Amino acid sequence: MSAELSATDYLVTVRDLTVVKQGQTILDAVSLDIAKHDFITLIGPNGAGKTVLLRHLLKLESPYGGRVHHQSGLKIGYVPQRVTIDPSLPMTVQRFLTVNNDVTRSQLDSLATETKISHLLNSPLADLSGGELQRVLLTRALAGKPNLLILDEPAQNLDVNGQLQFYTMIDEIYESRKLSVLMVSHDLHLVMSSTRKVVCLFRHICCSGAPESVARDPEFISIFGDDMAKLMAVYPHSHAHDHDHDHDHHHHAATDEES
Amino acid sequence: MSAHILLTTLALALVAGPLGCFVVWRRMAYFGDGLAHSALLGVAIGLVIGVSNQIGMMAIAIIFALSLIWLRAKRVLATDTLLGILAHAALSLGVVAMTLLGAGDIEVHDYLLGSLDAVTQDMAVWVIAGSGLSLGLLMRLWPGLILMTTSEDLAHAEGVHIVRYEFALMVLMGVVVAASIQLVGILLITSLLIIPASTARLFARSPEAMAIGGSAIASLCMLIGLPLAQNFQLATGPVIVCVSVASFMLVLMARLATRKG
């Protein structure tokens, strides 16, 4: 029963997607499949082409080369990085969730319960905290009953606690709704500590798979080596050394000032 | 006041509410000013090829919007710089052309500050039809426009064709500016859009409430301002703007007073 999945079994099939802008290659022969109930985290340094790839996955742009295929019946829910509300625009959460789409009141109520924003429905959008706003954006993405959720660094502007809560909510929705998730993340620490599939992009797909195999990939190390090293520096065994060093430094600084 | 003037002004006030909201939300005030300035060139062209002022002004407004979109896509100069170049080029060409064509200072003055005498029955038909069409189109595009104003990213991802919507909004502004210029005047047309919408913002809790509130306030200002202009032989534009600013101050003070209490 382990027959290869054919192209039509995937929600999204990307084959040799190439994007060239002003003579510069942004994406080079990227191939990627998103199957039912996949959870893929896309990582890559700034300028790696992550957002461009997302825009093509959403079919907002037509490819320079290669192709992007959507399975018929595919519905994508999209959560952008952030939304900045101009204070001159009066907009409550409820109005925002119903503008340009047709959700009923009861659908809205059950969605709001799922994403824990019921108490916010009558608040102005401009008054929300970063975490609340991201949950509202997530709610809007879920309103179209998507089978694929695409999130572009959804927790970038949240504090550590808020990030954790948001990712937990995504996990719960992924399990309860049985949908597929493709998420861009900058947060290596969280990504590498989970067991989800990771795709590392740097103009082309450098490596993909489980975090521990990706972490050993030479290309991953050459791109993220420094960042990973910084992450490792947080762990306790190196802390004592750092502390000593800091102490020394302060001591010197103090004497310098006194003399 | 005669019926055709009353209907003309109310039609303009109705469309000024929602359109003014977009000028406020999307920071299009300078664009509106630019359109208004270019209108004089439209009048001159209308005189040369023998079509009505309104057609000349609308044609120039559309050319103006297209040039702006095209130049902006080149990403070399900032939008306000481009607007400055386009608007003042069109205004200067307009003044030169009008003078060469033999228009007197008084006629140019009327275009700059507005005049009730300019509102003929022919023009009333134009303005009412233009405002009605604009209002209809605005209502049809409303959900997409609101989503796009909240978040361009989200609107794009959900299938709103941003460039088309933005162009539609620019053309609508061109139509409304062209329609109202002879009444309110080139110099003050933007304030007719901005002040009622801003007044409505002080109490509105939804985009729709702000748009409807803007229409109501604009209507009220017209109904108070026009008889004043007529009785005291004043240019209509400045009188309407004075009334609008007074209404803005009143609502603002009422708002501050209730907040304290």
Side-chain angles (χ1 to χ4, degrees):
Chain A
M1 291 297 286
S2 63
E4 284 269 308
L5 289 170
S6 76
T8 49
D9 292 326
Y10 291 111
L11 294 176
V12 177
T13 322
V14 179
R15 281 289 169 273
D16 299 322
L17 175 66
T18 301
V19 176
V20 178
K21 276 181 186 166
Q22 283 148 3
Q24 280 210 313
T25 306
I26 315 274
L27 292 177
D28 184 13
V30 169
S31 294
L32 177 74
D33 298 315
I34 306 174
K36 233 180 148 181
H37 208 49
D38 259 354
F39 194 124
I40 300 174
T41 309
L42 185 66
I43 58 172
N46 281 331
K50 300 186 298 279
T51 302
V52 175
L53 177 56
L54 284 199
R55 293 176 70 81
H56 281 85
L57 286 175
L58 289 162
K59 287 204 173 182
L60 295 179
E61 286 175 37
S62 37
Y64 178 89
R67 61 187 181 88
V68 176
H69 179 258
H70 283 182
Q71 192 185 62
S72 67
L74 174 74
K75 273 191 185 154
I76 299 179
Y78 172 65
V79 180
Q81 246 177 53
R82 64 186 306 180
V83 165
T84 331
I85 306 297
D86 194 292
S88 67
L89 178 66
M91 180 79 97
T92 61
V93 170
Q94 185 176 336
R95 183 70 193 102
F96 171 67
L97 292 173
T98 52
V99 69
N100 205 35
N101 67 21
D102 34 75
V103 280
T104 64
R105 180 70 223 202
S106 64
Q107 284 170 332
L108 188 66
D109 284 338
S110 77
L111 277 170
T113 314
E114 191 178 354
T115 52
K116 303 189 178 80
I117 57 160
S118 301
H119 61 294
L120 298 171
L121 286 179
N122 289 316
S123 309
L125 216 47
D127 290 358
L128 303 187
S129 73
E132 289 168 342
L133 189 58
Q134 288 311 116
R135 295 212 300 279
V136 169
L137 291 173
L138 177 62
T139 314
R140 191 180 162 92
L142 292 174
K145 298 195 190 77
N147 36 21
L148 169 63
L149 205 53
I150 293 186
L151 305 100
D152 189 2
E153 299 189 36
Q156 198 191 21
N157 301 297
L158 308 186
D159 59 29
V160 178
N161 217 351
Q163 287 186 351
L164 215 60
Q165 280 172 3
F166 189 78
Y167 287 132
T168 310
M169 182 171 280
I170 299 288
D171 266 354
E172 285 167 10
I173 286 164
Y174 165 72
E175 294 297 349
S176 65
R177 286 181 171 248
K178 303 278 175 240
L179 39 66
S180 308
V181 174
L182 180 103
M183 179 162 70
V184 174
S185 178
H186 249 143
D187 200 340
L188 274 183
H189 188 59
L190 267 165
V191 174
M192 300 314 277
S193 64
S194 85
T195 54
R196 311 277 193 218
K197 184 182 178 186
V198 174
V199 172
C200 173
L201 183 78
F202 188 57
R203 291 198 193 100
H204 63 285
I205 291 184
C206 310
C207 49
S208 66
E212 54 278 16
S213 76
V214 167
R216 279 195 298 270
D217 190 283
E219 212 170 348
F220 176 87
I221 294 167
S222 79
I223 294 170
F224 284 113
D226 285 352
D227 288 332
M228 285 304 278
K230 275 180 209 145
L231 270 179
M232 300 312 283
V234 178
Y235 288 109
H237 70 267
S238 59
H239 185 250
H241 174 77
D242 275 3
H243 181 79
D244 272 3
H245 186 79
D246 271 11
H247 183 79
D248 250 30
H249 184 75
H250 280 298
H251 182 71
H252 282 307
T255 6
D256 283 350
E257 257 174 43
E258 277 162 17
S259 58
Chain B
M1 204 176 357
S2 56
H4 73 270
I5 292 187
L6 193 68
L7 286 175
T8 307
T9 49
L10 285 181
L12 281 177
L14 279 184
V15 70
L19 199 61
C21 288
F22 286 110
V23 178
V24 171
W25 296 332
R26 302 183 63 81
R27 295 155 204 259
M28 293 169 79
Y30 198 28
F31 173 74
D33 261 349
L35 271 182
H37 284 112
S38 72
L40 206 58
L41 181 60
V43 175
I45 288 174
L47 284 175
V48 171
I49 55 178
V51 295
S52 86
N53 289 345
Q54 271 70 37
I55 292 183
M57 285 192 277
M58 282 180 203
I60 285 294
I62 290 170
I63 293 171
F64 187 89
L66 282 174
S67 319
L68 181 69
I69 291 174
W70 178 67
L71 286 169
R72 207 173 47 179
K74 302 211 166 294
R75 292 176 186 280
V76 177
L77 295 168
T79 305
D80 61 341
T81 308
L82 293 172
L83 278 171
I85 296 171
L86 286 172
H88 295 132
L91 178 68
S92 309
L93 271 172
V95 171
V96 169
M98 289 280 280
T99 314
L100 289 179
L101 287 167
D105 286 349
I106 295 166
E107 199 173 338
V108 174
H109 178 271
D110 278 355
Y111 278 108
L112 291 181
L113 293 175
S115 139
L116 273 182
D117 304 333
V119 187
T120 59
Q121 292 203 4
D122 266 7
M123 183 194 147
V125 174
W126 266 107
V127 172
I128 294 168
S131 311
L133 274 174
S134 305
L135 199 59
L137 188 61
L138 210 49
M139 280 162 83
R140 208 181 126 66
L141 299 178
W142 187 259
L145 283 171
I146 293 293
L147 183 59
M148 170 174 117
T149 302
T150 317
S151 164
E152 212 145 282
D153 264 2
L154 205 57
H156 197 174
E158 291 184 16
V160 176
H161 202 303
I162 305 283
V163 179
R164 269 184 226 163
Y165 270 68
E166 203 163 43
F167 181 60
L169 205 54
M170 287 180 171
V171 171
L172 280 176
M173 269 194 73
V175 170
V176 173
V177 164
S180 42
I181 252 173
Q182 275 166 303
L183 192 66
V184 189
I186 287 171
L187 294 181
L188 296 170
I189 189 76
T190 315
S191 54
L192 175 73
L193 294 169
I194 288 180
I195 302 173
S198 304
T199 311
R201 174 64 187 102
L202 296 172
F203 55 79
R205 286 192 36 95
S206 73
E208 291 74 21
M210 183 163 154
I212 295 168
S215 295
I217 291 165
S219 306
L220 207 65
C221 294
M222 292 283 206
L223 290 179
I224 296 171
L226 289 178
L228 283 177
Q230 208 164 29
N231 284 347
F232 297 98
Q233 294 290 303
L234 298 164
T236 42
V239 178
I240 292 170
V241 172
C242 288
V243 175
S244 312
V245 172
S247 76
F248 178 79
M249 297 305 287
L250 273 176
V251 175
L252 184 64
M253 281 190 282
R255 196 74 198 130
L256 292 175
T258 48
R259 214 168 260 178
K260 271 178 196 158

